[in-house]
Amino acid sequence: MTHLTTAPLLLEPLLAEVTAPHCGGTCIFLGTVRDGPEDGGVTGIEYSAYDVMADAELERIVTETRRQWPGARIAVRHRLGLVPAEEASIAIAVATPHRADAFAACRHVIEEVKQRLPIWKKELRADGTATWVDPSGHPSMVGPQ
Amino acid sequence: MTHLTTAPLLLEPLLAEVTAPHCGGTCIFLGTVRDGPEDGGVTGIEYSAYDVMADAELERIVTETRRQWPGARIAVRHRLGLVPAEEASIAIAVATPHRADAFAACRHVIEEVKQRLPIWKKELRADGTATWVDPSGHPSMVGPQ
Amino acid sequence: MKGTPGGTVTVRVRFFARYAELAGRAEGTLTVPLPATVSDVVDRARHEWPGASALPPEPLAAVNLRHVRLDASVSDGDEVALLPPLAGG
Amino acid sequence: MKGTPGGTVTVRVRFFARYAELAGRAEGTLTVPLPATVSDVVDRARHEWPGASALPPEPLAAVNLRHVRLDASVSDGDEVALLPPLAGG
Protein backbone atom coordinates (compact mmCIF):
# COMPACT_ATOMS: atom_id res chain seq x y z
CA MET A 1 0.00 0.00 0.00
CA THR A 2 2.42 2.64 -1.06
CA HIS A 3 -0.12 5.07 -2.52
CA LEU A 4 -2.97 4.81 -0.01
CA THR A 5 -3.18 6.28 3.46
CA THR A 6 -5.77 7.20 6.07
CA ALA A 7 -3.63 10.09 7.32
CA PRO A 8 -3.98 13.74 6.20
CA LEU A 9 -2.00 14.37 3.03
CA LEU A 10 1.10 16.52 3.42
CA LEU A 11 2.65 18.44 0.56
CA GLU A 12 6.28 18.86 1.58
CA PRO A 13 7.11 15.13 1.84
CA LEU A 14 5.41 14.51 -1.51
CA LEU A 15 7.38 17.34 -3.06
CA ALA A 16 10.61 15.95 -1.63
CA GLU A 17 9.90 12.64 -3.39
CA VAL A 18 9.84 14.22 -6.84
CA THR A 19 12.48 16.95 -6.50
CA ALA A 20 15.54 16.27 -8.66
CA PRO A 21 18.39 18.35 -10.09
CA HIS A 22 17.25 17.92 -13.69
CA CYS A 23 13.65 18.97 -13.02
CA GLY A 24 12.82 22.66 -13.26
CA GLY A 25 9.04 22.48 -13.10
CA THR A 26 6.76 20.78 -10.60
CA CYS A 27 2.99 20.58 -10.81
CA ILE A 28 0.98 19.45 -7.82
CA PHE A 29 -2.72 18.67 -7.93
CA LEU A 30 -4.90 18.40 -4.86
CA GLY A 31 -8.47 17.20 -4.91
CA THR A 32 -10.30 18.46 -1.85
CA VAL A 33 -13.67 17.69 -0.33
CA ARG A 34 -15.97 20.49 -1.38
CA ASP A 35 -18.79 22.06 0.56
CA GLY A 36 -19.93 24.87 -1.68
CA PRO A 37 -23.37 26.49 -1.82
CA GLU A 38 -24.58 23.79 -4.22
CA ASP A 39 -23.16 20.90 -2.26
CA GLY A 40 -25.84 20.84 0.44
CA GLY A 41 -23.84 21.04 3.65
CA VAL A 42 -21.28 18.31 3.12
CA THR A 43 -19.30 17.82 6.33
CA GLY A 44 -17.00 15.17 4.94
CA ILE A 45 -16.64 12.21 2.63
CA GLU A 46 -16.05 8.63 3.67
CA TYR A 47 -13.72 7.05 1.10
CA SER A 48 -13.61 3.29 0.72
CA ALA A 49 -11.57 1.27 -1.73
CA TYR A 50 -10.81 -2.08 -3.21
CA ASP A 51 -7.50 -1.22 -1.70
CA VAL A 52 -5.15 -3.79 -3.19
CA MET A 53 -6.46 -3.07 -6.67
CA ALA A 54 -6.51 0.71 -6.16
CA ASP A 55 -2.87 0.60 -5.13
CA ALA A 56 -1.95 -1.60 -8.11
CA GLU A 57 -3.92 0.63 -10.47
CA LEU A 58 -2.16 3.74 -9.15
CA GLU A 59 1.19 2.05 -9.70
CA ARG A 60 0.17 1.20 -13.27
CA ILE A 61 -0.95 4.80 -13.90
CA VAL A 62 2.38 6.11 -12.60
CA THR A 63 4.34 3.66 -14.74
CA GLU A 64 2.34 4.51 -17.87
CA THR A 65 2.73 8.24 -17.23
CA ARG A 66 6.49 7.89 -16.78
CA ARG A 67 6.61 6.06 -20.09
CA GLN A 68 4.69 8.87 -21.81
CA TRP A 69 6.79 11.65 -20.22
CA PRO A 70 10.30 10.19 -19.90
CA GLY A 71 12.25 11.67 -17.02
CA ALA A 72 9.09 12.67 -15.16
CA ARG A 73 9.17 12.06 -11.42
CA ILE A 74 5.76 11.23 -9.99
CA ALA A 75 4.31 10.76 -6.52
CA VAL A 76 0.66 10.06 -5.72
CA ARG A 77 -1.28 9.64 -2.48
CA HIS A 78 -4.96 8.87 -2.11
CA ARG A 79 -6.50 9.24 1.30
CA LEU A 80 -9.10 6.75 2.54
CA GLY A 81 -11.55 6.81 5.43
CA LEU A 82 -13.23 9.99 6.61
CA VAL A 83 -11.92 13.13 4.92
CA PRO A 84 -13.44 16.31 6.40
CA ALA A 85 -14.57 19.14 4.10
CA GLU A 86 -11.72 21.31 2.79
CA GLU A 87 -9.13 18.56 3.31
CA ALA A 88 -7.46 16.76 0.42
CA SER A 89 -8.46 13.29 -0.72
CA ILE A 90 -5.76 13.06 -3.36
CA ALA A 91 -2.38 14.65 -3.95
CA ILE A 92 -0.35 14.21 -7.12
CA ALA A 93 3.11 15.70 -7.66
CA VAL A 94 4.93 15.60 -10.98
CA ALA A 95 8.36 17.10 -11.63
CA THR A 96 9.80 17.35 -15.14
CA PRO A 97 12.67 19.20 -16.80
CA HIS A 98 10.27 21.74 -18.34
CA ARG A 99 6.99 23.08 -17.04
CA ALA A 100 4.61 22.20 -19.89
CA ASP A 101 5.26 18.52 -19.28
CA ALA A 102 4.71 18.85 -15.55
CA PHE A 103 1.22 20.28 -16.12
CA ALA A 104 0.35 17.76 -18.83
CA ALA A 105 1.58 14.69 -16.95
CA CYS A 106 -0.07 15.78 -13.68
CA ARG A 107 -3.36 16.36 -15.49
CA HIS A 108 -3.00 12.97 -17.13
CA VAL A 109 -2.60 11.23 -13.77
CA ILE A 110 -5.72 12.79 -12.22
CA GLU A 111 -7.84 12.02 -15.30
CA GLU A 112 -6.71 8.39 -15.24
CA VAL A 113 -7.34 8.23 -11.49
CA LYS A 114 -10.91 9.44 -11.99
CA GLN A 115 -11.55 6.84 -14.66
CA ARG A 116 -9.79 3.84 -13.17
CA LEU A 117 -9.43 3.80 -9.39
CA PRO A 118 -11.73 1.39 -7.55
CA ILE A 119 -12.56 3.92 -4.85
CA TRP A 120 -15.98 5.05 -3.69
CA LYS A 121 -17.26 7.93 -1.69
CA LYS A 122 -20.16 8.48 0.61
CA GLU A 123 -21.01 12.12 1.23
CA LEU A 124 -21.86 12.88 4.84
CA ARG A 125 -24.15 15.85 5.47
CA ALA A 126 -24.87 18.03 8.45
CA ASP A 127 -28.46 16.72 8.53
CA GLY A 128 -27.21 13.19 9.22
CA THR A 129 -27.83 11.76 5.77
CA ALA A 130 -25.23 9.90 3.77
CA THR A 131 -25.18 9.46 -0.01
CA TRP A 132 -23.08 7.28 -2.25
CA VAL A 133 -21.65 9.52 -4.95
CA ASP A 134 -22.10 8.34 -8.51
CA PRO A 135 -20.09 10.67 -10.75
CA SER A 136 -22.25 9.54 -13.66
CA GLY A 137 -25.00 11.49 -11.96
CA HIS A 138 -27.26 9.16 -10.01
CA PRO A 139 -26.91 9.73 -6.28
CA SER A 140 -28.50 7.06 -4.13
CA MET A 141 -29.56 7.84 -0.60
CA VAL A 142 -28.51 5.28 1.95
CA GLY A 143 -30.38 6.83 4.83
CA PRO A 144 -29.43 8.56 8.08
CA GLN A 145 -26.47 7.05 9.83
CA MET B 1 5.73 43.59 -1.33
CA THR B 2 3.11 40.96 -0.84
CA HIS B 3 4.30 38.58 -3.55
CA LEU B 4 8.09 38.80 -3.18
CA THR B 5 10.28 37.27 -0.54
CA THR B 6 13.88 36.30 0.05
CA ALA B 7 12.88 33.37 2.26
CA PRO B 8 12.48 29.77 1.07
CA LEU B 9 9.02 29.18 -0.36
CA LEU B 10 6.72 27.01 1.73
CA LEU B 11 3.77 25.15 0.29
CA GLU B 12 1.43 24.67 3.21
CA PRO B 13 0.93 28.40 3.99
CA LEU B 14 0.35 29.08 0.29
CA LEU B 15 -2.19 26.27 0.14
CA ALA B 16 -3.95 27.62 3.22
CA GLU B 17 -4.39 30.96 1.43
CA VAL B 18 -6.37 29.45 -1.43
CA THR B 19 -8.32 26.71 0.34
CA ALA B 20 -12.06 27.41 0.37
CA PRO B 21 -15.22 25.35 0.84
CA HIS B 22 -16.42 25.86 -2.73
CA CYS B 23 -13.10 24.80 -4.32
CA GLY B 24 -12.60 21.12 -5.07
CA GLY B 25 -9.44 21.34 -7.16
CA THR B 26 -6.12 22.99 -6.42
CA CYS B 27 -3.17 23.21 -8.79
CA ILE B 28 0.22 24.30 -7.53
CA PHE B 29 3.16 25.10 -9.75
CA LEU B 30 6.72 25.34 -8.53
CA GLY B 31 9.60 26.56 -10.63
CA THR B 32 12.87 25.25 -9.24
CA VAL B 33 16.49 26.01 -9.97
CA ARG B 34 17.72 23.25 -12.22
CA ASP B 35 21.13 21.66 -12.35
CA GLY B 36 20.73 18.89 -14.85
CA PRO B 37 23.42 17.32 -17.02
CA GLU B 38 23.00 20.06 -19.63
CA ASP B 39 23.04 22.90 -17.16
CA GLY B 40 26.77 22.93 -16.52
CA GLY B 41 27.03 22.67 -12.76
CA VAL B 42 24.66 25.39 -11.63
CA THR B 43 24.95 25.79 -7.87
CA GLY B 44 22.30 28.46 -7.60
CA ILE B 45 20.66 31.46 -9.18
CA GLU B 46 20.81 35.00 -7.93
CA TYR B 47 17.43 36.62 -8.61
CA SER B 48 17.15 40.38 -8.79
CA ALA B 49 14.06 42.44 -9.53
CA TYR B 50 12.61 45.81 -10.21
CA ASP B 51 10.79 44.90 -7.06
CA VAL B 52 8.02 47.49 -6.86
CA MET B 53 7.04 46.85 -10.47
CA ALA B 54 7.36 43.05 -10.15
CA ASP B 55 5.02 43.12 -7.18
CA ALA B 56 2.54 45.37 -9.03
CA GLU B 57 2.75 43.20 -12.13
CA LEU B 58 2.06 40.05 -10.11
CA GLU B 59 -0.96 41.72 -8.56
CA ARG B 60 -2.22 42.66 -12.03
CA ILE B 61 -1.70 39.09 -13.27
CA VAL B 62 -3.64 37.73 -10.29
CA THR B 63 -6.47 40.21 -10.84
CA GLU B 64 -6.70 39.44 -14.55
CA THR B 65 -6.64 35.69 -13.89
CA ARG B 66 -9.43 35.99 -11.32
CA ARG B 67 -11.46 37.89 -13.89
CA GLN B 68 -10.93 35.15 -16.48
CA TRP B 69 -11.72 32.32 -14.01
CA PRO B 70 -14.36 33.75 -11.67
CA GLY B 71 -14.27 32.19 -8.24
CA ALA B 72 -10.62 31.19 -8.59
CA ARG B 73 -8.50 31.71 -5.51
CA ILE B 74 -4.89 32.53 -6.33
CA ALA B 75 -1.67 32.95 -4.35
CA VAL B 76 1.76 33.64 -5.81
CA ARG B 77 5.23 34.02 -4.31
CA HIS B 78 8.43 34.81 -6.15
CA ARG B 79 11.68 34.37 -4.29
CA LEU B 80 14.53 36.87 -4.74
CA GLY B 81 18.21 36.77 -3.84
CA LEU B 82 20.24 33.57 -3.93
CA VAL B 83 18.17 30.46 -4.60
CA PRO B 84 20.25 27.26 -4.34
CA ALA B 85 19.81 24.49 -6.92
CA GLU B 86 16.73 22.31 -6.36
CA GLU B 87 14.95 25.04 -4.38
CA ALA B 88 11.90 26.88 -5.71
CA SER B 89 12.07 30.37 -7.16
CA ILE B 90 8.33 30.66 -7.71
CA ALA B 91 5.23 29.04 -6.24
CA ILE B 92 1.73 29.53 -7.62
CA ALA B 93 -1.40 28.04 -6.07
CA VAL B 94 -4.82 28.19 -7.69
CA ALA B 95 -7.99 26.69 -6.24
CA THR B 96 -11.21 26.49 -8.26
CA PRO B 97 -14.52 24.67 -7.96
CA HIS B 98 -13.49 22.18 -10.67
CA ARG B 99 -10.08 20.83 -11.56
CA ALA B 100 -9.82 21.77 -15.24
CA ASP B 101 -9.97 25.45 -14.29
CA ALA B 102 -7.32 25.04 -11.60
CA PHE B 103 -4.85 23.63 -14.12
CA ALA B 104 -5.71 26.22 -16.78
CA ALA B 105 -5.58 29.24 -14.47
CA CYS B 106 -2.34 28.10 -12.80
CA ARG B 107 -0.74 27.58 -16.20
CA HIS B 108 -1.96 31.01 -17.27
CA VAL B 109 -0.32 32.66 -14.26
CA ILE B 110 3.11 31.11 -14.87
CA GLU B 111 3.03 31.94 -18.58
CA GLU B 112 2.17 35.57 -17.81
CA VAL B 113 4.88 35.66 -15.13
CA LYS B 114 7.49 34.49 -17.65
CA GLN B 115 6.45 37.16 -20.12
CA ARG B 116 5.90 40.10 -17.83
CA LEU B 117 7.84 40.06 -14.54
CA PRO B 118 10.79 42.45 -14.35
CA ILE B 119 13.01 39.87 -12.70
CA TRP B 120 16.48 38.72 -13.79
CA LYS B 121 18.67 35.83 -12.96
CA LYS B 122 22.36 35.27 -12.80
CA GLU B 123 23.39 31.62 -12.88
CA LEU B 124 26.18 30.78 -10.48
CA ARG B 125 28.38 27.81 -11.35
CA ALA B 126 30.68 25.58 -9.40
CA ASP B 127 33.67 26.92 -11.40
CA GLY B 128 33.06 30.41 -10.03
CA THR B 129 31.58 31.91 -13.19
CA ALA B 130 28.30 33.81 -13.25
CA THR B 131 26.07 34.32 -16.27
CA TRP B 132 23.06 36.54 -16.81
CA VAL B 133 20.31 34.35 -18.22
CA ASP B 134 18.59 35.59 -21.34
CA PRO B 135 15.62 33.29 -22.02
CA SER B 136 15.67 34.51 -25.62
CA GLY B 137 18.90 32.55 -25.89
CA HIS B 138 21.88 34.86 -25.58
CA PRO B 139 23.79 34.19 -22.37
CA SER B 140 26.37 36.81 -21.49
CA MET B 141 29.28 35.95 -19.25
CA VAL B 142 29.94 38.47 -16.54
CA GLY B 143 33.14 36.88 -15.29
CA PRO B 144 34.24 35.09 -12.15
CA GLN B 145 32.87 36.55 -8.96
CA MET C 1 -5.56 -23.90 -15.33
CA LYS C 2 -9.07 -23.56 -16.72
CA GLY C 3 -11.12 -25.44 -14.13
CA THR C 4 -11.67 -28.58 -12.14
CA PRO C 5 -11.92 -32.01 -13.81
CA GLY C 6 -15.69 -31.76 -13.46
CA GLY C 7 -15.82 -28.88 -15.89
CA THR C 8 -16.47 -26.01 -13.50
CA VAL C 9 -14.52 -23.06 -12.12
CA THR C 10 -14.73 -21.76 -8.60
CA VAL C 11 -14.07 -18.07 -8.09
CA ARG C 12 -14.03 -15.67 -5.21
CA VAL C 13 -16.55 -12.86 -5.71
CA ARG C 14 -16.12 -9.51 -3.99
CA PHE C 15 -18.63 -6.70 -3.62
CA PHE C 16 -17.73 -3.12 -2.76
CA ALA C 17 -19.40 0.01 -1.42
CA ARG C 18 -23.05 0.20 -2.50
CA TYR C 19 -22.93 -3.23 -4.11
CA ALA C 20 -21.82 -4.79 -0.83
CA GLU C 21 -24.84 -3.15 0.80
CA LEU C 22 -27.17 -4.44 -1.92
CA ALA C 23 -25.73 -7.97 -1.86
CA GLY C 24 -25.67 -7.99 1.91
CA ARG C 25 -22.14 -9.32 1.80
CA ALA C 26 -18.58 -8.24 0.97
CA GLU C 27 -17.58 -11.54 -0.60
CA GLY C 28 -18.50 -15.11 -1.39
CA THR C 29 -17.49 -18.13 -3.42
CA LEU C 30 -19.29 -19.29 -6.57
CA THR C 31 -18.90 -22.26 -8.88
CA VAL C 32 -19.97 -21.96 -12.52
CA PRO C 33 -19.77 -24.37 -15.48
CA LEU C 34 -17.03 -24.02 -18.07
CA PRO C 35 -16.51 -22.09 -20.24
CA ALA C 36 -17.27 -19.18 -17.93
CA THR C 37 -17.20 -15.41 -18.32
CA VAL C 38 -17.50 -12.61 -15.78
CA SER C 39 -21.07 -12.21 -16.99
CA ASP C 40 -21.81 -15.82 -16.06
CA VAL C 41 -20.44 -15.16 -12.58
CA VAL C 42 -22.64 -12.07 -12.21
CA ASP C 43 -25.74 -14.02 -13.32
CA ARG C 44 -24.93 -16.79 -10.88
CA ALA C 45 -24.44 -14.23 -8.07
CA ARG C 46 -27.90 -12.79 -8.72
CA HIS C 47 -29.46 -16.18 -8.15
CA GLU C 48 -27.27 -17.23 -5.26
CA TRP C 49 -27.64 -14.09 -3.15
CA PRO C 50 -31.08 -12.41 -3.26
CA GLY C 51 -29.82 -8.87 -2.67
CA ALA C 52 -27.44 -9.20 -5.61
CA SER C 53 -30.42 -9.30 -7.96
CA ALA C 54 -30.57 -5.52 -7.51
CA LEU C 55 -27.18 -5.08 -9.19
CA PRO C 56 -27.38 -3.15 -12.44
CA PRO C 57 -27.52 -5.22 -15.67
CA GLU C 58 -23.91 -4.52 -16.56
CA PRO C 59 -21.77 -3.67 -13.56
CA LEU C 60 -18.11 -2.74 -13.83
CA ALA C 61 -15.90 -5.70 -13.04
CA ALA C 62 -12.30 -6.58 -12.31
CA VAL C 63 -10.53 -9.93 -12.35
CA ASN C 64 -7.37 -10.37 -10.32
CA LEU C 65 -7.02 -6.60 -9.71
CA ARG C 66 -7.51 -5.52 -13.33
CA HIS C 67 -10.51 -3.97 -15.03
CA VAL C 68 -12.13 -6.40 -17.49
CA ARG C 69 -15.12 -6.48 -19.79
CA LEU C 70 -18.04 -8.67 -18.83
CA ASP C 71 -17.24 -11.11 -21.64
CA ALA C 72 -13.77 -11.80 -20.20
CA SER C 73 -13.27 -15.45 -19.30
CA VAL C 74 -12.63 -16.52 -15.71
CA SER C 75 -10.38 -19.28 -14.45
CA ASP C 76 -10.44 -21.39 -11.36
CA GLY C 77 -9.24 -19.41 -8.35
CA ASP C 78 -9.82 -16.00 -9.89
CA GLU C 79 -10.91 -13.07 -7.77
CA VAL C 80 -13.88 -11.42 -9.48
CA ALA C 81 -14.80 -7.98 -8.14
CA LEU C 82 -18.00 -6.09 -8.92
CA LEU C 83 -17.44 -2.36 -8.79
CA PRO C 84 -20.01 0.45 -8.37
CA PRO C 85 -19.45 3.57 -10.50
CA LEU C 86 -15.92 4.72 -9.68
CA ALA C 87 -15.52 7.88 -7.62
CA GLY C 88 -11.84 8.12 -6.76
CA GLY C 89 -9.78 11.30 -6.81
CA MET D 1 1.25 67.79 -16.55
CA LYS D 2 3.34 67.49 -19.68
CA GLY D 3 6.51 69.35 -18.70
CA THR D 4 8.09 72.48 -17.32
CA PRO D 5 7.31 75.96 -18.77
CA GLY D 6 10.61 75.77 -20.67
CA GLY D 7 9.34 72.91 -22.80
CA THR D 8 11.26 70.03 -21.30
CA VAL D 9 10.48 67.02 -19.12
CA THR D 10 12.69 65.64 -16.40
CA VAL D 11 12.45 61.94 -15.71
CA ARG D 12 14.08 59.45 -13.40
CA VAL D 13 15.82 56.69 -15.34
CA ARG D 14 16.47 53.30 -13.79
CA PHE D 15 18.71 50.50 -15.01
CA PHE D 16 18.48 46.90 -13.87
CA ALA D 17 20.60 43.77 -13.81
CA ARG D 18 22.93 43.63 -16.82
CA TYR D 19 21.91 47.09 -18.01
CA ALA D 20 22.93 48.57 -14.67
CA GLU D 21 26.33 46.93 -15.14
CA LEU D 22 26.64 48.31 -18.68
CA ALA D 23 25.51 51.82 -17.72
CA GLY D 24 27.67 51.76 -14.61
CA ARG D 25 24.74 53.04 -12.59
CA ALA D 26 21.37 51.96 -11.23
CA GLU D 27 19.65 55.28 -11.83
CA GLY D 28 19.95 58.87 -12.93
CA THR D 29 17.94 61.92 -13.92
CA LEU D 30 17.57 63.18 -17.49
CA THR D 31 15.91 66.18 -19.05
CA VAL D 32 14.65 65.96 -22.63
CA PRO D 33 12.77 68.45 -24.88
CA LEU D 34 9.03 68.13 -25.39
CA PRO D 35 7.33 66.22 -26.87
CA ALA D 36 9.29 63.26 -25.52
CA THR D 37 8.98 59.52 -25.89
CA VAL D 38 10.71 56.67 -24.09
CA SER D 39 12.89 56.33 -27.15
CA ASP D 40 14.05 59.93 -26.74
CA VAL D 41 14.97 59.17 -23.14
CA VAL D 42 16.96 56.11 -24.21
CA ASP D 43 18.83 58.11 -26.86
CA ARG D 44 19.62 60.82 -24.35
CA ALA D 45 20.85 58.20 -21.85
CA ARG D 46 23.26 56.78 -24.43
CA HIS D 47 24.89 60.19 -24.80
CA GLU D 48 24.81 61.14 -21.16
CA TRP D 49 26.33 57.98 -19.75
CA PRO D 50 29.02 56.34 -21.90
CA GLY D 51 28.34 52.76 -20.73
CA ALA D 52 24.70 53.13 -21.74
CA SER D 53 25.74 53.32 -25.39
CA ALA D 54 26.11 49.53 -25.17
CA LEU D 55 22.39 49.10 -24.56
CA PRO D 56 20.61 47.24 -27.37
CA PRO D 57 18.85 49.35 -30.02
CA GLU D 58 15.39 48.65 -28.65
CA PRO D 59 15.42 47.70 -24.98
CA LEU D 60 12.29 46.74 -23.07
CA ALA D 61 10.98 49.67 -21.07
CA ALA D 62 8.49 50.52 -18.35
CA VAL D 63 7.05 53.85 -17.29
CA ASN D 64 5.68 54.21 -13.78
CA LEU D 65 5.72 50.44 -13.16
CA ARG D 66 4.01 49.44 -16.40
CA HIS D 67 5.42 47.97 -19.57
CA VAL D 68 5.31 50.44 -22.46
CA ARG D 69 6.39 50.58 -26.07
CA LEU D 70 9.34 52.79 -26.95
CA ASP D 71 7.05 55.28 -28.70
CA ALA D 72 5.07 55.90 -25.49
CA SER D 73 5.22 59.51 -24.38
CA VAL D 74 6.81 60.52 -21.09
CA SER D 75 5.74 63.24 -18.68
CA ASP D 76 7.61 65.30 -16.16
CA GLY D 77 8.39 63.24 -13.06
CA ASP D 78 7.94 59.86 -14.72
CA GLU D 79 10.05 56.90 -13.71
CA VAL D 80 11.46 55.32 -16.88
CA ALA D 81 12.96 51.85 -16.42
CA LEU D 82 15.09 50.00 -18.97
CA LEU D 83 14.71 46.25 -18.61
CA PRO D 84 17.04 43.49 -19.84
CA PRO D 85 15.31 40.39 -21.30
CA LEU D 86 12.92 39.19 -18.59
CA ALA D 87 13.78 36.00 -16.75
CA GLY D 88 11.28 35.72 -13.92
CA GLY D 89 9.58 32.54 -12.83
Side-chain angles (χ1 to χ4, degrees), chain C:
Chain C
M1 186 167 85
K2 278 290 182 181
T4 63
T8 62
V9 290
T10 297
V11 298
R12 182 181 182 206
V13 182
R14 299 187 65 177
F15 299 95
F16 290 93
R18 184 164 148 74
Y19 290 178
E21 293 180 357
L22 290 174
R25 60 174 57 232
E27 60 173 279
T29 300
L30 287 178
T31 298
V32 290
L34 278 169
T37 64
V38 173
S39 211
D40 296 330
V41 173
V42 175
D43 290 344
R44 180 88 185 120
R46 287 186 214 281
H47 287 90
E48 189 79 13
W49 302 304
S53 61
L55 290 177
E58 302 193 334
L60 288 178
V63 170
N64 300 338
L65 312 184
R66 286 182 181 271
H67 290 290
V68 295
R69 290 163 36 138
L70 291 174
D71 59 5
S73 64
V74 293
S75 300
D76 204 48
D78 279 353
E79 175 167 300
V80 178
L82 302 181
L83 315 174
L86 307 182

Side-chain angles (χ1 to χ4, degrees), chain A residues 124-139:
Chain A
L124 310 179
R125 292 203 160 67
D127 64 7
T129 57
T131 315
W132 287 110
V133 177
D134 178 351
S136 63
H138 305 289

Side-chain angles (χ1 to χ4, degrees), chain A residues 48-97:
Chain A
S48 58
Y50 181 5
D51 52 8
V52 187
M53 177 175 167
D55 202 44
E57 197 71 20
L58 272 171
E59 189 55 34
R60 289 191 282 264
I61 291 169
V62 167
T63 301
E64 292 163 13
T65 306
R66 275 199 204 106
R67 200 173 298 140
Q68 198 168 341
W69 283 273
R73 294 174 58 86
I74 306 168
V76 188
R77 291 289 182 288
H78 201 301
R79 187 169 168 190
L80 298 178
L82 176 64
V83 181
E86 296 192 43
E87 293 191 16
S89 54
I90 188 164
I92 301 164
V94 178
T96 59

Side-chain angles (χ1 to χ4, degrees), chain D residues 29-41:
Chain D
T29 299
L30 288 177
T31 299
V32 290
L34 278 168
T37 65
V38 173
S39 211
D40 296 330
V41 173

